[in-house]
Amino acid sequence: MSDANSYSREKQRLEEIVLQTRAKEVPLEKSLDLYDEALAIGTRCVEQLEMTDFTADELESVAEHPEVELSGKKVE
């Protein structure tokens, strides 16, 4: 995965995992599988962000509002 759209998809999947793991009816084994998936996704997202050249304004914006996506940024 190497573009802003894939980062958005990964972020969306992480949000889905959070909702699933908060559900009381999710068995422990499934929760552990979701946790492993979330770790892998998180690692990929960090790698994508580290390879992206952000402007100082974009970095400041992310620091202040991490829920806001940086649309149009190409991750290499």
Side-chain angles (χ1 to χ4, degrees), residues 29-70:
E29 185 173 332
K30 176 69 174 174
S31 292
L32 292 173
D33 290 341
L34 291 169
Y35 176 79
D36 288 340
E37 181 184 354
L39 284 178
I41 291 171
T43 299
R44 287 192 303 267
C45 288
V46 167
E47 289 170 355
Q48 287 179 337
L49 289 172
E50 287 176 347
M51 294 183 339
T52 303
D53 294 324
F54 291 109
T55 66
D57 289 340
E58 289 171 329
L59 287 174
E60 184 177 327
S61 176
V62 169
E64 292 175 0
H65 307 285
E67 73 282 0
V68 176
E69 296 199 21
L70 298 170

Side-chain angles (χ1 to χ4, degrees), residues 7 10-12 16 18 20-21 26-27 29 34 39-41 43-44 49 57 62-63 72-73:
Y7 180 83
E10 296 279 33
K11 183 179 174 212
Q12 177 62 37
E16 292 169 2
V18 168
Q20 286 181 308
T21 56
V26 176
E29 185 173 332
L34 291 169
L39 284 178
I41 291 171
T43 299
R44 287 192 303 267
L49 289 172
D57 289 340
V62 169
K73 266 301 191 196

